[in-house]
Amino acid sequence: SQTIHQWPATLVQPVGSPLSLECTVEGTSNPNLYWYRQAAGRGLQLLFYSVGIGQISSEVPQNLSASRPQDRQFILSSKKLLLSDSGFYLCAWTGPSYNEQFFGPGTRLTVL
Amino acid sequence: SQQGEEDPQALSIQEGENATMNCSYKTSINNLQWYRQNSGRGLVHLILIRSNEREKHSGRLRVTLDTSKKSSSLLITASRAADTASYFCATAFAGSARQLTFGSGTQLTVLP
């Protein structure tokens, strides 16, 4: 069966520090991968999605970037965090039919 | 904005009652999906309804779709305390089924 992992589960970082969040999927190949951010009490905002290795589409201009170095690995990064980067970051995958998305457990990021 | 909007934002009912949540959207869709999120967790897919379908059932869930009104409803029958969660609709637009656009969610509280 397929599983999706995210780490770390929680992270507290100072303003201006770098960020690296990792997402990995097991049990499937060539997944479509997504990064979302969720502000408290709000819906999900799509940040990036990827249909293959090295292929990244950005939905919102910001100081975040994404990379997909391997088929089942998706990384969200920042060189310098802002206070506004605080939130709940969710990774998700979907198969070739683009039906339901399967979400990871999320990373709670607090920027101080 | 193409984002779906749920109504109501919050709903509190007694165990055993039915819960109805509504979702409206603005453009033509390929499909509409409902997700559930327990506090601090990832989203879980509940049900998908395609643009050519009008109603779909899954266990205690019933989803309707009215493409002429660009709206959908999620009915949870015989609610349980364990149904307490946030519920989100997400739309896959006709021109870009790769991406989902999420609404802001309905917070459902089922009182025992």
Side-chain angles (χ1 to χ4, degrees):
Chain A
S1 64
Q2 301 90 357
T3 56
I4 178 168
H5 304 277
Q6 284 185 247
W7 64 89
T10 59
L11 191 60
V12 180
Q13 292 284 97
V15 169
S17 63
L19 173 74
S20 181
L21 303 181
E22 190 164 343
C23 171
T24 59
V25 181
E26 295 178 356
T28 187
S29 58
N30 198 29
N32 302 298
L33 297 171
Y34 302 82
W35 276 113
Y36 293 92
R37 177 169 59 204
Q38 184 179 31
R42 304 293 300 276
L44 276 66
Q45 178 188 35
L46 178 62
L47 302 175
F48 302 94
Y49 73 93
S50 171
V51 299
I53 296 174
Q55 301 178 60
I56 309 294
S57 296
S58 174
E59 293 302 304
V60 182
Q62 59 216 321
N63 71 320
L64 299 172
S65 63
S67 62
R68 185 169 176 175
Q70 301 180 42
D71 181 46
R72 289 170 287 179
Q73 184 184 33
F74 205 21
I75 297 172
L76 183 68
S77 304
S78 174
K79 293 181 179 178
K80 288 185 178 181
L81 284 169
L82 306 173
L83 286 174
S84 57
D85 291 324
S86 293
F88 191 49
Y89 288 82
L90 289 157
C91 181
W93 74 273
T94 189
S97 60
Y98 293 102
N99 288 328
E100 64 265 41
Q101 292 189 8
F102 301 93
F103 285 80
T107 294
R108 175 81 54 194
L109 172 66
T110 303
V111 182
L112 301 175
Chain B
S1 166
Q2 296 178 332
Q3 188 175 34
E5 293 296 332
E6 284 93 339
D7 168 53
Q9 290 187 339
L11 179 62
S12 184
I13 59 174
Q14 294 291 328
E15 207 165 25
E17 294 180 339
N18 296 340
T20 299
M21 289 160 270
N22 303 295
C23 170
S24 61
Y25 57 92
K26 296 183 179 180
T27 64
S28 297
I29 61 171
N30 177 288
N31 66 71
L32 184 145
Q33 304 176 32
W34 286 90
Y35 288 79
R36 166 195 168 126
Q37 183 182 33
N38 286 72
S39 180
R41 308 292 294 275
L43 278 70
V44 175
H45 180 263
L46 296 176
I47 197 164
L48 180 154
I49 187 165
R50 300 192 184 282
S51 60
N52 61 352
E53 298 176 307
R54 292 296 167 259
E55 187 171 312
K56 208 162 183 180
H57 298 256
S58 177
R60 293 185 296 113
L61 305 180
R62 173 184 166 229
V63 170
T64 62
L65 179 65
D66 186 336
T67 53
S68 67
K69 295 181 179 179
K70 292 185 169 58
S71 67
S72 172
S73 67
L74 170 67
L75 169 68
I76 303 175
T77 60
S79 64
R80 306 165 182 169
D83 294 329
T84 295
S86 292
Y87 292 82
F88 295 91
C89 70
T91 46
F93 294 106
S96 180
R98 289 181 176 181
Q99 304 172 44
L100 292 179
T101 300
F102 285 81
S104 53
T106 293
Q107 172 61 50
L108 173 66
T109 301
V110 181
L111 303 170

